[in-house]
């Protein structure tokens, strides 16, 4: 479980089911038993668009931007159902969160560095104003500087009231900002407790 307003991290060795678990929550992986509920309502088996409309967003580890679209076009994809005024306000908010993207607005996403791509992917997820944000290894293959920036900005989102569930390989970095953690091994939760612990 993740309580409202919490920053929870899932850690564990490669291949232990962390990414599959978070994909199952967002309806992208098949599961045969169990239930997913959000804010007291079962969302088991819901399509991803229904989950987004409910306030749940997901940022995958790979293939998380449209490389042939510009930075601005990528962000706009997160708000196709919004009015132009509302979309404009949310884009401005995303650029305040990730000012490094502002000078790259018209550049193709394919030209971005790994860190910039993660910022873009998170920005697009934020356009729908999620209450609950799922992130799958957002610091993978990034420089130490970008890793610090991404985790700090994710923590800023928590400070703004967004509930965070993060899958992360860089345990030390993520746990510094997290409230609680789950340790997975062999497809199971083997320990949970306060992040400091």
């Amino acid at each position: 479980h993740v309580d409202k307003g919490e920053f929870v991290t899932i850690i564990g060795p490669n291949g232990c089911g962390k990414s599959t678990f978070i994909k199952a929550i967002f309806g992208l992986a098949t599961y045969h038993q169990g239930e997913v509920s959000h804010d007291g309502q079962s969302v088991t088996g819901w399509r991803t668009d229904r989950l987004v409309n409910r306030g749940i967003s997901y940022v995958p580890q790979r293939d998380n931007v449209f490389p042939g679209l510009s930075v601005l076009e990528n962000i706009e994809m997160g708000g196709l159902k919004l009015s132009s005024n509302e979309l404009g306000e949310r884009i401005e908010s995303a650029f305040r969160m990730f000012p490094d993207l502002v000078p790259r607005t018209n550049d193709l996403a394919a030209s971005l560095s790994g860190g910039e791509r993660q910022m873009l992917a998170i920005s697009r997820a934020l356009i729908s104003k999620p209450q609950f944000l799922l992130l799958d290894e957002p610091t993978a293959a990034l420089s130490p500087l970008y890793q610090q920036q991404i985790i700090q900005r994710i923590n800023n989102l928590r400070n703004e009231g967004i509930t965070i569930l993060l899958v992360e390989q860089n345990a030390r970095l993520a746990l510094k900002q997290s409230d609680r953690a789950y340790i997975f091994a062999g497809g199971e939760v083997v320990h949970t407790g306060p992040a400091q612990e």
Side-chain angles (χ1 to χ4, degrees):
H1 76 279
V2 180
D3 292 328
K4 193 169 187 177
E6 264 194 317
F7 184 156
V8 175
T9 296
I10 300 171
I11 60 174
N14 287 335
C16 70
K18 303 183 303 293
S19 293
T20 301
F21 175 75
I22 206 165
K23 286 176 185 172
I25 292 173
F26 200 64
L28 298 173
T30 302
Y31 53 97
H32 303 285
Q33 63 182 29
E35 183 176 353
V36 178
S37 59
H38 174 252
D39 207 16
Q41 179 177 354
S42 174
V43 294
T44 307
W46 282 25
R47 293 188 327 260
T48 55
D49 60 319
R50 283 188 73 196
L51 293 171
V52 169
N53 289 337
R54 185 165 173 84
I56 303 170
S57 285
Y58 167 69
V59 180
Q61 177 185 355
R62 294 187 186 92
D63 302 323
N64 55 13
V65 298
F66 299 103
L69 298 180
S70 71
V71 167
L72 181 59
E73 289 166 337
N74 264 273
I75 295 174
E76 289 172 339
M77 293 295 285
L80 293 176
K81 294 184 178 180
L82 301 176
S83 69
S84 56
N85 282 346
E86 197 172 12
L87 179 60
E89 289 170 10
R90 293 189 189 179
I91 290 171
E92 284 180 26
S93 177
F95 282 147
R96 281 193 300 276
M97 174 67 66
F98 295 108
D100 300 17
L101 295 177
V102 174
R104 307 296 307 269
T105 302
N106 297 313
D107 296 343
L108 290 181
S111 70
L112 301 180
S113 70
E116 290 168 333
R117 282 183 184 218
Q118 285 295 356
M119 291 177 188
L120 178 56
I122 295 169
S123 294
R124 188 178 61 240
L126 294 177
I127 294 299
S128 65
K129 280 198 142 176
Q131 305 162 5
F132 185 31
L133 184 59
L134 308 163
L135 298 122
D136 190 0
E137 300 198 27
T139 71
L142 300 186
S143 70
L145 177 62
Y146 269 128
Q147 288 181 354
Q148 293 277 354
Q149 287 182 2
I150 293 292
I151 291 295
Q152 184 55 56
R153 289 178 183 165
I154 291 168
N155 189 49
N156 291 346
L157 295 174
R158 184 267 302 269
N159 293 336
E160 291 179 11
I162 298 174
T163 303
I164 305 290
L165 180 60
L166 173 72
V167 167
E168 185 54 62
Q169 282 290 339
N170 190 333
R172 289 183 191 278
L173 180 64
L175 293 175
K176 281 183 185 173
Q177 305 290 348
S178 303
D179 298 306
R180 289 188 307 111
Y182 287 94
I183 301 174
F184 279 27
E188 295 181 343
V189 175
V190 295
H191 185 71
T192 184
Q196 298 297 320
E197 178 184 306

